[in-house]
Amino acid sequence: MQAEFAIIGGTGVYHPDLLDGAEVRILETPYGQAKATVGTYKGRGVAFMPRHGAAHSIPPHRVNYRANLWALKALGVHQVLATAAVGSLQLQYAPGSLVVVDDFLDFTKQRTQTFFEENHVVHVDMSDPYCHRLRRHLVASARQLEIPVHDGGTYVCTEGPRFETRAEIRLYQSLGGAVVGMTTVPEVVLAKELELCYATVAMVTNYGTGISANPLTVDEVVQEMKRNADNIRRLFFHTIDSLSVDRDCNCGAAVSGQAPLTGDQPK
Ligand code: HPA
C-alpha cells in the first residue's frame, strides 16, 4: 500500500483505530531499516512513523533520520506532518501550547545531515525550511478546531539527550529562539533534500531549564505529551483532510530546481 501523507510522531500520537486497513511495514533502505504503519484515512493513504521506534527506545541523537525519511519517500509520501516535544524559551509559549515552527537554529553536533555524500555536492536552500503551505493548513485547522496555536517561532535544536544548562537556555533566548528540542535537525533538512513537504508542530511540554523554579524531569515532559496527544491527533487528521495532493509550493524542486541531480533517490 502506498501513502501520500505521513505523520512522524512521538508517544501517544498514533492510535491504530485511526487508519483503515492499517498494516505494519518494515522497509529496507540504503541507511538501514525503518518501520511504519500504513493505512487509509477517508480514502487517503497515510503512513505513521514513530520517530523513536515503536517502544520509544531510540534517543534523539541515535534516531536513523535518513532511513526514516527515505522509507517514507519510498512509500510514495510527499507530505509529512511531524510533531516533537519541546521546552519553552519564552513565557508566552506556555506548557500545553502548540507552535507551528517556521525556522530553526542548529546546535546538534554529530548527526549526518545529508543524503549527498559522494559524487556530487548539494547545498540545499534553507530560507524556508518548513513548507509554508503545510504550515498554513496546520494553523487554519488548529483555529477551526479551536486548538490554541502559535503561528511561527524558531526551534533551537540541541544534540541531547541531556537537557540544557541554565546558561544554554539564556543563550538560546538571547538568540531569539522560541522553543528548544532535540529532533527537528536533521529531519527537516533531509526532508527538504528528498523534496518532501514537511512541517513540525512543536508541543510545549515545559519551560526550559531555569525558567521555572523546579528542576526539569522526564516525567513532566511525558505527562504533558500525553495530555496533548489528542489535540495533535485531531489537528493532523483535520489537516490531512484539508490538503490536496497537488503541491503548489516549491518543495518539489528543492534540489532538482537548483542543480543537476545524479544521485539515486527513491522514485
Ligand atoms: N529541552 C530539550 N528537549 C525537550 C525539552 C527541553 O526542555 N522538553 C521536551 N523536549
Side-chain angles (χ1 to χ4, degrees):
M1 189 190 296
Q2 293 285 103
E4 166 69 20
F5 302 96
I7 293 172
I8 301 181
T11 325
V13 173
Y14 177 65
H15 193 285
D17 292 350
L18 282 168
L19 297 181
D20 296 323
E23 54 184 51
V24 175
R25 296 279 304 276
I26 308 285
L27 298 130
E28 301 293 339
T29 79
Y31 309 97
Q33 257 185 14
K35 191 172 175 181
T37 302
V38 188
T40 57
Y41 175 73
K42 297 193 178 175
R44 302 173 137 203
V46 179
F48 178 79
M49 181 165 277
R51 181 187 290 115
H52 299 278
H56 202 97
S57 54
I58 310 169
H61 65 295
R62 301 290 307 275
V63 169
N64 193 340
Y65 296 96
R66 289 199 294 183
N68 286 354
L69 271 302
W70 190 278
L72 290 180
K73 181 138 186 181
L75 282 171
V77 168
H78 293 103
Q79 309 190 51
V80 182
L81 304 177
T83 182
V86 293
S88 167
L89 296 169
Q90 314 282 347
L91 288 178
Q92 75 259 32
Y93 302 102
S97 50
L98 301 181
V99 188
V100 183
V101 294
D102 62 357
D103 213 337
F104 68 78
L105 283 166
D106 178 14
F107 285 90
T108 64
K109 297 188 170 112
Q110 47 166 10
R111 305 179 185 189
T112 308
Q113 298 205 9
T114 184
F115 290 105
F116 300 99
E117 292 191 296
E118 281 166 29
N119 303 328
H120 48 270
V121 179
V122 168
H123 300 291
V124 76
D125 175 47
M126 281 287 122
S127 50
D128 234 348
Y130 301 91
C131 171
H132 62 83
R133 184 181 56 87
L134 288 189
R135 290 190 60 258
R136 202 176 58 237
H137 279 262
L138 283 162
V139 171
S141 286
R143 302 237 154 102
Q144 278 172 37
L145 295 169
E146 298 185 356
I147 296 172
V149 72
H150 296 270
D151 181 1
T154 296
Y155 181 136
V156 178
C157 193
T158 66
E159 182 65 21
R162 65 168 175 83
F163 287 128
E164 299 70 42
T165 64
R166 290 165 192 267
E168 285 169 333
I169 293 293
R170 284 197 301 273
L171 172 70
Y172 301 152
Q173 288 174 321
S174 74
L175 294 174
V179 294
V180 57
M182 304 176 190
T183 55
T184 207
V185 180
E187 203 168 81
V188 59
V189 181
L190 296 171
K192 188 71 89 188
E193 281 195 352
L194 289 181
E195 304 189 326
L196 305 174
C197 294
Y198 175 97
T200 288
V201 179
M203 181 198 288
V204 180
T205 55
N206 56 279
Y207 280 114
T209 311
I211 297 180
S212 64
N214 302 327
L216 178 55
T217 66
V218 173
D219 190 49
E220 178 183 349
V221 171
V222 172
Q223 291 311 321
E224 194 58 46
M225 276 172 78
K226 285 189 179 153
R227 273 195 288 277
N228 271 304
D230 190 47
N231 273 349
I232 288 277
R233 205 162 40 221
R234 287 168 53 231
L235 173 57
F236 279 176
F237 282 97
H238 191 279
T239 304
I240 287 172
D241 209 18
S242 78
L243 283 166
S244 162
V245 292
D246 299 322
R247 303 192 289 159
D248 63 349
C249 49
N250 296 330
C251 302
V255 173
S256 51
Q258 289 197 4
L261 182 63
T262 51
D264 52 341
Q265 291 191 47
K267 296 289 177 280

